[in-house]
Each structure stands twice: as C-alpha cells, then as structure tokens.
Amino acid sequence: MKLTALLSLCLIALCLLPPLGAGQTGDDVTISLQVPYYLGKPREGVGPGSQLQALYSIENRSQAAVAATISIKLPPGFALADRSTVWQVEQYPEGDILQRHIDLAGGYSQWFDLLTIQAAADIIPGTYAIIISDGRQTRQVPVTVVTTGRKLGNEPPVIEEIILPLDRDGKNDERLSRNTLVMRDKSWDYYKNIINGKGASNLEVEALHPLTHMRLIVKNPSEQQKLVVITARLHDAHSREPVSGLFTPGTTGEDKDAGSLGGHEDKLVAFAALTGEPRQTVQLPVYMNEQALAGGQYILRVVMEDEFAPPVVQETVITVVKKDWKALAVIGGAAVILLAALLLAVRRVRSVLATLKTRWLVTVALFGAAAFAVVTVPSTLLNDFFHILMGPFGFLVTGLFHSIMLYMMIIALVILIPRPGVIALMIIVRLLLGMLAFGQVSPISLLSYGINALLLETLLYSSGLYSHLQSTDAAAGLNWQKVACLALICGVADSIATYVTLQGLSVLYRMYYADWYIYLLLLINGFLYTAIGAVCGVRLGSRLCRVGGD
Amino acid sequence: MSVRDVWEATPGDTLVHKLDVRTKVVLLAGFAVAVILIDSPRTLYLLFCLTLALHILARSSVPRWRILIIFVLLGLWGSMVSQALFYSREPRTIVACLIPPSLPVLGTLTGGVFVYREGLEYGAVQALRSASMLSLGLLLSWTSDPRQLLKSFVSWRMPYELAFMLISGLRFLPVIFQETAVVLTAQRLRGFEPLKALVPRRLIQTAFQTLFPILARTLRRAATLAASVESRGFGREARVTEIKQWPASEQRLCLGVFTAIILLLGLKILDVLQFNGLFFIPAWRDLYDVMKVWM
C-alpha cells in the first residue's frame, strides 16, 4: 500500500514537471539554432560558395535574470559573412568560434537574431556540424553541403520580371489587364458590410485586405541562398520622385500609431528567402491606399537587398485606375429621375398645354427665344473666352449671364404667367433653339436642362408659390418671405442642376474638376447669383405686368 | 459674317442636303452616344474628321467654315485651359503656377492652382467629343429646313403647341437679336459701360435696364401674334402636318446605325466588365485587343 502511494506521488510529481526538450536544461534556459534558415521553407543542403542564414534563439523561462554567453562553433569551410556585427570571432584551424554576451530578464524573455554564414567555394560536399552553446547546454546542428555537379558563376540574383495583378493564389487572372490596378472605393465599405451582414467594420480592418498580389520572378544563376528584404515603392513617371500609395500594414500594436494602418510607410516591405533555385518566384500582397493615390501611370520600383550585396532593382510602369463611382451614381440617379419625370410629362403635357392661352404660349416661346439670345449665345461665346482670361474664376463673369439674367427672365415669366409648366416649356424652347441654331445636341445639355426644369417646377409647385401667385396680384402678392422662398428654390434647383452637369461632364466627357472649383461654382454661380437673379426677376416681372400682363 | 450665317439653313443639292431630316436627327443622336462610349483618342479624332468630311460633302461656305473653326477652337481652347488646371491623373508636369498654395485665402482655398502640361493634351483630346457634336449639330442646322425639322418632330408625336412655340421662337430670333443690339447701343449712348466697372449693383442695374425693354416688346409682340394666329384658327382645326415619305433606304440606314450603336454599347459594357475583372470570355481575346486600341 505504501509502495503504491509512493509510486502515485512520483507519477504526480513527474506530471507537474515542465517537459524537457532538446537542448533544455533544468534551469529553464533554452537555446536553439536553425541552419540553414529559409523562413520555414525546407531545404536539404547548401551549395559550395553559398550564403546561408542561421536563426538562433535563447529563451529564459525562469523568474531570475540570466546572463549568458552564446558561442557558435563553425566547422572549417564556414565563416561569418558580416564581420561588423556584435559577434567576437576567434579563428582556429578547426573552425571559427563566434561569441556574444546576452542579458535575459527574469519572468519570460527571448532573444533571437539571424547570422549570415558564408560557405567556402571549395568546401568538400558532406555533412558538417555547427555547435551552439551557452555554457550550460550544447546543441549540434548538422549542415549538409551538396554539389550540383554544375559550375556556378558569381552572377548576383536579379529580378527578371514583375507580374501583377494576380489573385491570392498567384493565378494570372485573364480578366484583368496587365500592369493595371483598379482601385476599389473603400469609402462605402462600412455600410456595405452592414448590409451584407458582416457587421460594422472600420478602415483598420479593411486595410488588411490587399488590393492584389504581385509576383517577382527572381533569376538566381549562382544559386545563392539568402534572406532578402524586398521593398516596393511607387515613383512619379516623369520626375521619378517617390509618391505615396503603397503601404505595409502593421501587424502588432507596437507599430508606430498601432493597428493595421500603424505600419504605414508609403512603401511595401517584405522579407523573403532565396532558396537557391536558379529561377524562383516570390509572391507578395499589394496594399494600396486609394485616398493617397490619384489615377494615372506610375513607375513601380522593386528593390531586393540584403546587407552584403548591392541592391537589385527592377522597375515596371503600372496604370492605376480610379473610378469615380460617386459621379456615376449621381448621373445614373439623375437620368432615372429625369426619365421617370419625362414619362409622366408625356402623359400630362397635352392637358397642361390645353390650359394655356395662345397668348401665353407665344409669350413663353418668345421668352425662350429671348433667353436663347440674351443668355445662351453670350454664354456660349464668352464662356471659353473668360475661362482663358480669368482661369478657373471665369464663371464669376459668365455667371452674370447664365445665372442672374436667366433667372430674372424665368421668374419674370412666372410672375406674368403663374401656371405650372411654363418654366419647363420655356426651358424646352431654349433647349430646342440651341439644338436647331447652334447644333447644341448632347446628353449633357438634355440632362442639365431637364433636371433644372424638373426641380424648378417641382419645388415651385410643392411650395405653393404657383397657387399663391395665381390667387393674388403679382405686383403686390409677394412679401419678402415669399421672395426669399423663391430665391431659395431657384438657388437650390440651379445648384443641383449645376452639380449634375459637372458630374455629367466628368463621367460622359471625362473631364476633371477640382472639388474646390465645384463647391465654389455651386455656391456662387449656382446659389448666390441665381438667388440674386430670382429676386431681381420678381421686380422685373412686376414691372412687366404693368406693360403687358393679363 | 452675319448673325444669320450662324443658324439659318441654306438650300443645296448635296447628298447631305438631300437626306431626310429624320435621318439626320437619328444619325446625330447615334453620334452623340458613340462619342460618349469611345475613349480612344485616335477614334475620337477620326470621328471628328468624319464630321468635317461631311461639311466638305455639304459644301459649307467659307463664312460657315470660319464660324465652325472659331467655335471648335474656342471649345478646344476652353477645354484645354480647364483641364490644364484641373487635370488630376499622374504623371503631371507643372508648367506654370497661377495661384501659389502659400497665397492667403485663395491659396489656402484651392491648395494652389497650377497649369499642367498633360492636362493641356488631355483637354485637347477630350474636347474632340464636344467639337464633333458641335460640328455635326451645325451641319444639321445649316443643311436642314427648320420647318421640315419641326414637321419631323410633330410626326414623332411632339405636341402641336410645342412645335408652334418652337417655330415662333425660331421665327422671332433674328428680331430679338436686333432688338438686343439696339438696346445695348442705346445703353451705351446713355453712358453705360457694364463690363468696365465690375460693380455688382451696376451690373444688375444694367441687366435690368437691358432686359426690361426687350421683354416688354416681347410681351407686346406676343399679344399681337396670339391675336393673329387665333384669328387664323390656331387650336381649333385638325392639325395638318405635310411631311414627305421617309425613304426606305434611309430608314434602313437609321436601323443600321441604331444596331451599330447597340452593338457598340454592348462591346463597351463587355470591355468595362473585363477591365474591372468581372467578366471575361477568353475566346474573345482578339476582340478585347481591338477594343483596347479603338474604343
């Protein structure tokens, strides 16, 4: 019974003891050495004259601090490649001994680093042992030198080709144009993820998704084996200055500002192993910041370097395509709304026309013609002229015609004939005259005039201004609140129509406009001038009523 | 060059003149869609040259060529200047700085305004779209009788009243131009120089004093014209639209153009789908290559 209890106690004690691995001693300090080390890739042997990496690691699991002296004994024919490191090298006929001192804090601490070792060119193939020791424990790691039977030259590795875009499996997707990257608009990702059921996400999470992948074909005639740092960066195609756009997402919270965007470096950095194959492919994910990058052509420069050889550089021209989905959505939405309004108008136009007197029809037609003569013609001729003369601020002058004068006429007509549809009819006459006389036929003008007419009619009708004007004397019927409302309606309608026109030019005619220009145009030309024109139009209409009103 | 040269059609005996107005309108609409679908500078240039060739075929007079050239160059120039300022693709080379970023207010607002060399080139290429449409639109208005054009619209179910309004506007356009010129002359004689002193209040006053006499006369003319047309029975009798038969060959041509545009649209959609990596038919690789060059 006593024997059984004793055996049980021993068993429990054995279970409670920490497991003992290779090279581990009872004092909780562990050393390890991986050689040749190729980022976890298996490699059977190294060739004569090649460089190989050794990853050594020392861990302290005890509560007490440990001071250790690591020594690595290299067999004859192997030498430390970089003598400028912290290692002390003692040379002996039976091989070099490398030594360094490391202090490990108590609790848990680890130290690991890479060593680059050069195998002699005339080393005899066979198995050699590299010995690592910290004075308390010793490990022996075999390294096999193999011969290929071929005479290898001294040519350094080169990046033969850069291939992109690829999918994450490295397949060359035929659907995608070579060297062309289509930027994805991430601004709506938050809402897309909510709609798709993925839940709320943020830029941090989305930034972890690479835009695409690229493959580097590395030609390595001397079959060198080494670890390299690959850096990819975008450069201006003309000045060749580096530009922002590529980035390396951070992986831990210790990177700069923490999080996945914390490691932003304006370049893509990756660690890769050259395994010694004559031709090797290295695949890298490509992370791009679409907000920092404009569309166009860039030079993608990939630099492959280690600390011993001169950097290897390869460049390729890439095209970055940035789609303006917002403009497309604006145009699409406007076109659908306009089409629906047109269908409705086609059904109601005859009844609207039937309610208008012949005199009103003629008045609207002549107002349309006058608007064409006084607004469209000067605008057409002067618009480009003032654009050239005053640069982006030419609209300050041309806006006097197509905002102030036009809205003076439109509102004067509404004061004279306060019937729904008169503005639309006047705009249609102006549009068709432009088409017949100037050949101004384009989807942009249809969209611009159509949206303007639709908004003005809808807003004036829904605000009750038409019915108010019908029921009161035009000259005295509008107090300042109504005039302000009229000015606001015209300003809003013209601003929206101007915005749609600019987006139409951007999508259909591929024109570029700066944001500040769009906003300034909307504010001054679209809203301010139009509102002034509307207010003046009330006065003009009231005076015209005395001349020829009903 | 008189103002009438700009919009009035002249009769002729050329192929372009002989074409039915409806055919021309359909071709114009097809062209409008085509220039939007096409991105290739070389195709845009060819289309623009085609419109010029049609002007040669229509034997457009020298004054009209002058008008066409002035309008096209103005548009081209405007587009080049606009895109030189706003071009946002890379690479771009600054050739001049209009507003330095360090300038108070404007510099801060705009972030600097520069003239980019690539923008000038890009603007010139993109202006080919509007130049083509302008050239073809002017060809239509110079070679087509507006009455025939209106009859075509009416035959396509445009309301009669709207057609009447349009013809009234077109008929009185020269008169309105003349009146505008008279009013501006009168303003100048009274000492108004609207663009000399860019004072907002003065500009608005000028606009008011220019528009009022023009619109007042327009109102009086409308009353007279309305009385005149009503006395002739406008709006009471059945509408008569005498329009000649649309030749079958031209109808077939229009159908062909319509089909071509639909085909072009389909190809463009395929090209966009391929470009964005959404849909690709490997067997059509040659077609994609052709589209890349020409579309």
Side-chain angles (χ1 to χ4, degrees), chain A residues 263-274:
Chain A
H264 199 297
E265 293 277 2
D266 289 343
K267 62 189 174 189
L268 195 65
V269 183
F271 203 38
L274 295 188

Side-chain angles (χ1 to χ4, degrees), chain B residues 120-252:
Chain B
L120 286 167
E121 294 161 11
Y122 181 82
V125 171
Q126 302 311 316
L128 288 173
R129 285 194 184 89
S130 47
S132 300
M133 287 315 298
L134 179 77
S135 170
L136 211 59
L138 284 175
L139 184 73
L140 174 82
S141 62
W142 288 343
T143 59
S144 312
D145 183 357
R147 284 167 299 183
Q148 289 298 322
L149 203 53
L150 280 172
K151 282 179 182 174
S152 305
F153 288 153
V154 173
S155 74
W156 282 340
R157 298 194 176 185
M158 176 192 261
Y160 187 79
E161 291 85 350
L162 194 58
F164 165 73
M165 289 168 73
L166 189 57
I167 199 82
S168 304
L170 205 59
R171 166 69 186 79
F172 283 96
L173 204 51
V175 181
I176 292 170
F177 272 122
Q178 279 174 352
E179 276 180 8
T180 309
V182 169
V183 169
L184 288 176
T185 308
Q187 298 281 2
R188 268 201 302 275
L189 290 172
R190 289 177 65 190
F192 281 104
E193 287 177 328
L195 295 178
K196 198 165 184 180
L198 289 170
V199 182
R201 195 181 159 189
R202 198 174 168 84
L203 284 170
I204 290 165
Q205 193 185 1
T206 308
F208 197 87
Q209 288 177 341
T210 308
L211 283 179
F212 183 73
I214 296 169
L215 296 179
R217 293 195 69 170
T218 298
L219 279 177
R220 290 196 196 101
R221 187 173 298 114
T224 314
L225 184 62
S228 169
V229 294
E230 278 188 337
S231 68
R232 288 163 190 248
F234 173 78
R236 291 195 180 85
E237 290 183 6
R239 283 76 161 114
V240 179
T241 51
E242 292 169 18
I243 185 155
K244 65 176 184 181
Q245 189 72 28
W246 194 358
S249 58
E250 292 187 23
Q251 284 191 36
R252 280 197 295 275

Side-chain angles (χ1 to χ4, degrees), chain A residues 174-176 238 294-298 321 358 365-366 381 384 388 432 436-438 441 443 510-512 543, chain B residues 6 36 39 71 77 79 83 86 88-90 93 118 122 133 141 149 165 208 218 230 274 277 280 285:
Chain A
E174 285 190 320
R175 295 173 302 176
L176 303 168
H238 283 167
Q297 284 196 326
Y298 296 89
V321 180
T358 308
L366 296 188
L381 296 174
D384 293 325
I388 294 155
L432 290 174
L436 292 177
F438 267 153
V441 188
R510 282 75 154 175
M511 295 291 190
Y512 294 107
R543 282 188 66 185
Chain B
V6 180
I36 285 171
D39 276 310
F71 279 8
W77 198 0
S79 172
Q83 294 311 290
F86 300 129
S88 64
R89 293 185 72 194
E90 292 288 343
T93 315
E118 290 78 6
Y122 181 82
M133 287 315 298
S141 62
L149 203 53
M165 289 168 73
F208 197 87
T218 298
E230 278 188 337
Q274 180 268 138
F280 176 74
R285 196 186 300 268

Side-chain angles (χ1 to χ4, degrees), chain A residues 30 38 90 235 255 334 379 431:
Chain A
T30 312
Y38 295 109
E90 292 171 20
H235 291 252
D255 288 311
S379 299
L431 171 74

